[in-house]
Amino acid sequence: MSALPDIALPTNRDENWRYANLRPLAKAKSDAIAAHDPATPVDLPAILPDYERWVFIDGHYSRELSTDTDASCARLIGVREAGDTLLTMLDLDLAQAGVDFSLARVNGARGDVVLHIAPPDRAQARIEIIFIASAAAAAGTSYPRVQVHGGRSSHLRLVERHLSAGATDPLVNAAVDIALRADGIVDHCRVQNCADGAGCFDTLTAHVGERATYRLRTVTLGGIASRSTIFVKLAGRAARCEFSAAVIANGSQGHDVFAGIDHVAPGTSTRETFRGIATDRGKLAFNGKMIVRETAHGADSDQSLKSLLTGSGAEAAARPQLEIYTDKVSAKHGATTGKLDEQMLFYLLSRGLDRLQAQALLQWAFIEETVSQVELAPLRLEIEQLIATRLNEISRLEGLVTNS
Amino acid sequence: MSTPEIDSLLQQSYRHGFVTDIESDTLPPGLDEDVVRFISRKKKEPEFLLNWRLKAYRHWLTMKEPHWAKLRVHPIDYQGISYFSAPKRDPNAPKSLAEVDPKLLATYEKLGVPLHERARLAGVAVDAVFDSVSVATTFKERLAEAGVIFCSFSDAVQKHPALIEKYLGTVVPHTDNFFAALNSAVFSDGSFVYVPPGVRCPMELSTYFRINAKNTGQFERTLIIAAPGSHVSYLEGCTAPMRDENQLHAAVVELITEDDAEIKYSTVQNWYPGDERGIGGIYNFVTKRGECRGRNSKISWTQVETGSAITWKYPSCVLKGENSVGEFYSVATANNYQQADTGTKMIHIGANTKSTIVSKGISAGHGQNSYRGLVKILPSAHGARNFTQCDSLLMGGNCGAHTFPYIETRNPSATVEHEASTSKISEDQLFYCLQRGIDEEDAVNMIVSGFCKTVLDVLPMEFAVEAQNLLAVSLEGAVG
């Protein structure tokens, strides 16, 4: 397939992309990877109780590994059938947000199947999606895409995982678009734990209707470079968004998150929490943009962004932005960057812990604030294990964090 | 919710909108190398300065006007501006205040800056820059006794060319940004201060800038150097007459502090903001930067920005010296159709450097007020510390308040804290005041004063009073 001349890829000169590591994008082939069986056997996590599982390998549905049934509210559709809802929304709203969504456009142009999830009115659904990247970036890019249309008063619990099979350096360009009707709820938990050499790029848009709630919990651990571009439009009266992100950048990893929340309707509210740890030469960036339009009377937004730097070459960049166009609003944010608190460290040392253990425990406590918001207990436990393993690579958490 | 009384208060007229009828020596509009040479020749400048101006001009030609700020700017016709306008005077320049054109002195009376009395009573030395040329300075003798050089930039070029050559453009190079490059090419005057080692300047230094002539821009340049162990406090005020076209003001201020030195720089900016329909007003594109070169040095910026149709201004500190300190205290108001995109940059390079940012933005009418700030901790800045607080107050449903902080940390031993809030005037506070018998305007005035108190408290007293009045005129009574 040829290059896409009409879609200009983002560069670091673009204000909202200046902290992202875009080298993997530049190096990779933009062609979609053809369907194939992975060279290494895929090690899947334990099945979550009551969840149906959809597995995709390099963007292609794997019937053997999936557990979906005919009764499922999810089905596979073609890109054409998925329509241009995402692209229309990008054109209408996102241009105003001043954000470059070219990667989602590339996904739309290159991908071929879309997982369409449409829980009907008042229905409950539990779906786990696992995207496995197995082919190296030299072979092409995988383009996973999910579309959610939540009915009135429906409740969808969605778990989205990004994993790697084998030690390749894949490139993933994922796109998720969510539309939620009145009183609907989506609990969305995303865990990205790809191989260390992976490039993980994704775009997520959500359109939240009246009194509907969108909860997004993300955990970013893997990949040499990752970038999440998130845009949520609180379009209906009293729509609500809760977003928490836990990010660990180890070695020379670089993780970048852009989150724009657009408050359009009256009484909309947002809670945003970011906790990031950068060790060694790890780089973290979080750009949170809250927009409150003239029409969003009584909007309420709160951002809390904290970064912890523990390595000599670690870096963090935080941009908690506010754009407010009405006076009937309450908006606040707090951002801190720093090292571990010396007093807390001293306290633990005085209780007999050695320095590495004390540091690890404090790092654990720091990031736990976001992880604890994952409501599904088995998943939370699994995430805690993953984080403990990550932190263990840098310090000694062994024996301090148990499977409680 | 706005009431008719509040609207009438918001529509109070601009106090400084008069034109002084003084003959001026003005270049025709347009900019080319000849204009740059003319300005340099007119000011009898040494060759190094002319060459520097020409380099800046040539570089400016290669640059594009910046549009990243959250501002809507009508296109500026740089060839439609006159780049030099000097009040005409006798070949023998005034040697004392008595010799200054009485009309000019009357202008300052109207401005509320009576040079004689204010200077004598308050111990303030004033260097008044009218359009682009320095008119008179006071207290030169007393300052000379202390060894402090305080004069117009043109005088400094004549009398202390070595100092100018050594320091000019070392903090804000001529290539820095579009407006700084333009200023470097065509600046006509400004102030120069040198405080010698170990000297605490015996009085506060003050400059008043005023644009008077039509179709002129003002491009002043200020350079303040505090030698090791010295201290100086500098005050700057600005006004302009009412005109229905936009006038350009593109100034550059450079501050340098050596070991253990301190500069406190305060500004009350009250350029003409345009009328209530957003017609006219000054485009204020200013580059202000200070460099703490020495150990334990300190630079403190305090600004009250109530005027200008557009404000584009980021007074910054480059903290190079160990233990150096940068401070930024700001109150910015945007009423009617005013737009302000202002903030600061704190670049931490030296170990144990500290910075504090307190920014208060007030928006009313259709005003748009943005705080844009960068806190950058470089790998060498061990133990660096920053605290930032930026609060916005909104009055009315048509205004906007925006916050664009950039926090970049590249040293794990640094601690950076940032907090911000945006809200309207608290109904509870207002209700409390009203039920104590305080009328609505006074109550709002009181709440706004309280909101800005942290900043007003650090202004020198003479300016604190003026700033308080300015805030009252531009915003009093606007209830959100």
Side-chain angles (χ1 to χ4, degrees):
Chain A
M1 224 181 274
S2 62
L4 301 162
D6 52 333
I7 304 174
L9 291 178
T11 69
N12 290 123
R13 265 174 294 178
D14 184 331
E15 196 61 15
N16 288 316
W17 291 84
R18 59 187 290 193
Y19 303 113
N21 177 359
L22 298 170
R23 278 189 296 275
L25 258 187
K27 279 199 310 198
K29 251 171 104 175
S30 70
D31 297 349
I33 299 167
H36 67 103
D37 288 326
T40 27
V42 179
D43 188 16
L44 292 176
I47 286 194
L48 296 167
D50 304 324
Y51 275 70
E52 65 178 66
R53 175 176 275 180
W54 290 76
V55 179
F56 295 79
I57 297 174
D58 293 325
H60 301 283
Y61 173 63
S62 166
R63 186 172 300 279
E64 306 83 69
L65 299 174
S66 303
T67 64
D68 57 291
T69 62
D70 290 343
S72 172
C73 65
R75 65 193 170 99
L76 290 171
I77 57 173
V79 169
R80 197 161 294 170
E81 195 189 338
D84 288 335
T85 50
L86 171 66
L87 297 180
T88 313
M89 191 173 148
L90 297 181
D91 289 337
L92 284 180
D93 304 321
L94 307 186
Q96 296 172 25
V99 185
D100 182 330
F101 285 86
S102 48
L103 291 185
R105 291 175 202 281
V106 174
N107 179 295
R110 290 292 200 201
D112 55 358
V113 295
V114 177
L115 179 63
H116 179 82
I117 307 171
D121 292 355
R122 287 175 292 283
Q124 301 246 345
R126 289 181 169 83
I127 291 177
E128 181 192 22
I129 314 166
I130 303 180
F131 293 112
I132 296 165
S134 73
T141 303
S142 63
Y143 294 101
R145 180 155 167 208
V146 179
Q147 188 175 63
V148 176
H149 286 178
R152 287 176 188 276
S153 304
S154 64
H155 189 171
L156 171 67
R157 291 178 177 86
L158 180 67
V159 175
E160 179 191 345
R161 298 175 194 264
H162 293 266
L163 307 171
S164 289
T168 55
D169 55 343
L171 186 81
V172 181
N173 176 358
V176 176
D177 55 300
I178 293 171
L180 200 49
R181 298 182 72 185
D183 301 299
I185 299 173
V186 170
D187 280 308
H188 184 181
C189 183
R190 171 187 276 177
V191 183
Q192 189 270 92
N193 191 29
C194 288
D196 285 351
C200 304
F201 295 82
D202 64 79
T203 310
L204 188 154
T205 63
H207 188 275
V208 187
E210 215 169 332
R211 296 180 302 277
T213 301
Y214 178 51
R215 293 191 196 101
L216 174 64
R217 318 290 182 208
T218 66
V219 178
T220 307
L221 304 171
I224 188 74
S226 84
R227 155 77 182 208
S228 288
T229 307
I230 295 163
F231 189 85
V232 179
K233 181 176 178 180
L234 299 174
R237 188 178 286 269
R240 182 173 172 82
C241 175
E242 291 172 26
F243 172 36
S244 67
V247 179
I248 297 179
N250 192 6
S252 52
Q253 287 182 299
H255 298 310
D256 178 25
V257 181
F258 171 90
I261 318 273
D262 195 358
H263 301 73
V264 179
T268 45
S269 59
T270 302
R271 292 288 172 273
E272 191 171 272
T273 315
F274 168 78
R275 297 289 178 269
I277 301 179
T279 68
D280 293 346
R281 286 166 292 121
K283 291 185 176 61
L284 292 173
F286 189 94
N287 184 353
K289 185 172 188 171
M290 295 284 180
I291 306 168
V292 180
R293 307 267 177 206
E294 294 91 328
T295 45
H297 306 303
D300 179 7
S301 92
D302 191 346
Q303 266 178 306
S304 165
L305 318 180
K306 292 185 184 173
S307 305
L308 186 63
L309 302 182
T310 61
S312 56
E315 296 179 14
R319 288 177 63 190
Q321 305 179 61
L322 293 172
E323 264 187 55
I324 313 252
Y325 297 94
T326 178
D327 65 336
K328 295 174 193 66
V329 64
S330 165
K332 52 180 188 280
H333 65 227
T336 62
T337 306
K339 56 185 189 301
L340 285 174
D341 187 296
E342 291 291 344
Q343 280 191 334
M344 288 190 203
L345 208 54
F346 175 76
Y347 178 84
L348 293 180
L349 293 177
S350 72
R351 289 291 180 276
L353 269 69
D354 72 31
R355 183 166 281 273
L356 282 175
Q357 279 184 322
Q359 281 172 348
L361 194 62
L362 288 175
Q363 285 173 14
W364 173 261
F366 176 82
I367 205 133
E368 177 65 11
E369 206 177 328
T370 44
V371 175
S372 64
Q373 292 182 25
V374 176
E375 282 164 4
L376 183 62
L379 182 65
R380 187 174 61 243
L381 189 63
E382 198 185 312
I383 292 169
E384 286 174 348
Q385 297 278 0
L386 285 174
I387 288 178
T389 311
R390 279 277 158 185
L391 292 178
N392 231 354
E393 287 170 13
I394 15 173
S395 47
R396 295 225 307 273
L397 207 60
E398 235 166 324
L400 290 174
V401 180
T402 57
N403 298 355
S404 55
Chain B
M1 200 62 71
S2 294
T3 63
E5 301 86 70
I6 294 158
D7 289 342
S8 70
L9 278 163
L10 275 172
Q11 286 157 11
Q12 288 200 31
S13 60
Y14 180 64
R15 195 156 60 101
H16 303 305
F18 51 85
V19 180
T20 307
D21 184 20
I22 289 175
E23 276 190 89
S24 64
D25 191 358
T26 304
L27 261 185
L31 178 58
D32 55 24
E33 284 203 8
D34 289 342
V35 169
V36 177
R37 286 177 201 281
F38 172 85
I39 295 171
S40 187
R41 198 167 55 242
K42 190 91 181 162
K43 306 192 87 60
K44 302 185 180 68
E45 286 175 355
E47 199 168 344
F48 80 85
L49 199 51
L50 172 64
N51 290 338
W52 192 73
R53 283 175 182 276
L54 289 171
K55 263 197 297 186
Y57 173 71
R58 287 166 195 151
H59 188 79
W60 178 74
L61 289 176
T62 67
M63 299 176 94
K64 281 190 185 147
E65 202 178 61
H67 290 287
W68 43 260
K70 196 169 176 55
L71 300 170
R72 261 179 287 182
V73 186
H74 290 299
I76 301 169
D77 177 9
Y78 293 95
Q79 296 301 335
I81 298 171
S82 166
Y83 288 86
F84 189 80
S85 171
K88 257 192 185 161
R89 38 184 181 176
D90 296 334
N92 302 321
K95 304 272 187 312
S96 70
L97 280 177
E99 292 177 33
V100 172
D101 187 336
K103 278 187 183 169
L104 262 187
L105 292 178
T107 301
Y108 297 124
E109 291 288 341
K110 286 187 207 165
L111 285 173
V113 195
L115 240 64
H116 296 286
E117 287 176 30
R118 179 168 160 173
R120 285 190 192 145
L121 290 175
V124 174
V126 178
D127 179 15
V129 178
F130 197 99
D131 276 346
S132 309
V133 173
S134 176
V135 180
T137 54
T138 55
F139 285 98
K140 273 190 180 158
E141 296 80 14
R142 217 179 129 196
L143 290 171
E145 269 172 39
V148 175
I149 303 170
F150 175 42
C151 59
S152 71
F153 202 91
S154 321
D155 284 353
V157 169
Q158 302 305 324
K159 293 178 187 158
H160 312 282
L163 284 175
I164 298 286
E165 190 169 11
K166 183 175 173 193
Y167 291 106
L168 179 69
T170 58
V171 182
V172 180
H174 67 272
T175 51
D176 193 79
N177 67 67
F178 183 83
F179 297 106
L182 178 63
N183 174 288
S184 304
V186 301
F187 72 89
S188 32
D189 214 329
S191 298
F192 175 81
V193 179
Y194 177 82
V195 191
V199 171
R200 193 177 173 90
C201 186
M203 64 187 74
E204 309 232 327
L205 306 180
S206 175
T207 307
Y208 231 91
F209 297 109
R210 178 174 166 81
I211 300 178
N212 204 47
K214 208 174 172 179
N215 290 328
T216 55
Q218 175 140 320
F219 305 93
E220 81 268 3
R221 189 138 193 138
T222 300
L223 177 58
I224 302 178
I225 301 138
S230 65
H231 174 282
V232 61
S233 171
Y234 183 90
L235 297 77
E236 173 196 77
C238 325
T239 54
M242 292 164 73
R243 296 199 187 282
D244 55 11
E245 77 270 20
N246 298 111
Q247 285 178 288
L248 179 64
H249 172 247
V252 171
V253 175
E254 294 179 278
L255 311 183
I256 295 159
T257 49
E258 305 283 4
D259 287 356
D260 305 302
E262 180 178 344
I263 298 177
K264 183 177 167 65
Y265 194 104
S266 311
T267 308
V268 173
Q269 185 263 102
N270 188 29
W271 296 115
Y272 177 52
D275 67 11
E276 65 283 356
R277 289 164 300 149
I279 294 172
I282 301 291
Y283 282 180
N284 190 32
F285 295 95
V286 178
T287 306
K288 291 186 169 180
R289 192 173 304 149
E291 214 170 87
C292 287
R293 291 188 181 167
R295 294 163 59 94
N296 309 318
S297 58
K298 180 177 176 184
I299 288 178
S300 177
W301 298 99
T302 308
Q303 61 172 24
V304 176
E305 302 279 322
T306 60
S308 294
I310 290 175
T311 302
W312 180 98
K313 181 179 174 184
Y314 315 93
S316 310
C317 296
V318 181
L319 303 170
K320 277 187 178 165
E322 259 177 55
N323 303 318
S324 57
V325 176
E327 290 177 345
F328 175 76
Y329 293 94
S330 166
V331 170
T333 64
N335 195 1
N336 295 322
Y337 285 87
Q338 278 178 276
Q339 302 174 69
D341 193 308
T342 182
T344 185
K345 286 192 239 177
M346 292 290 173
I347 316 288
H348 292 253
I349 300 173
N352 299 316
T353 46
K354 292 181 187 62
S355 63
T356 305
I357 300 171
V358 177
S359 167
K360 306 280 179 181
I362 304 165
S363 310
H366 291 85
Q368 298 292 326
N369 204 332
S370 304
Y371 165 81
R372 189 181 299 274
L374 168 69
V375 175
K376 190 169 193 165
I377 314 278
L378 292 175
S380 52
H382 298 289
R385 187 87 177 78
N386 162 266
F387 173 74
T388 302
Q389 184 187 355
C390 54
D391 298 323
S392 304
L393 196 62
L394 292 147
M395 301 183 187
N398 298 318
C399 53
H402 319 298
T403 313
F404 305 107
Y406 295 69
I407 306 160
E408 298 179 8
T409 313
R410 295 174 63 193
N411 187 308
S413 64
T415 307
V416 180
E417 291 168 301
H418 173 103
E419 59 183 49
S421 70
T422 304
S423 60
K424 61 178 181 170
I425 285 186
S426 155
E427 298 285 354
D428 290 352
Q429 288 176 358
L430 203 57
F431 176 73
Y432 180 85
C433 294
L434 294 178
Q435 58 112 333
R436 287 286 182 280
I438 300 166
D439 70 34
E440 199 174 29
E441 322 156 18
D442 287 344
V444 171
N445 196 16
M446 200 189 285
I447 293 167
V448 170
S449 299
F451 177 73
C452 304
K453 192 172 182 295
T454 333
V455 177
L456 298 180
D457 279 355
V458 294
L459 273 176
M461 197 183 69
E462 303 83 358
F463 266 27
V465 175
E466 186 177 350
Q468 187 87 31
N469 290 340
L470 281 174
L471 279 176
V473 168
S474 54
L475 290 164
E476 185 185 48
V479 186

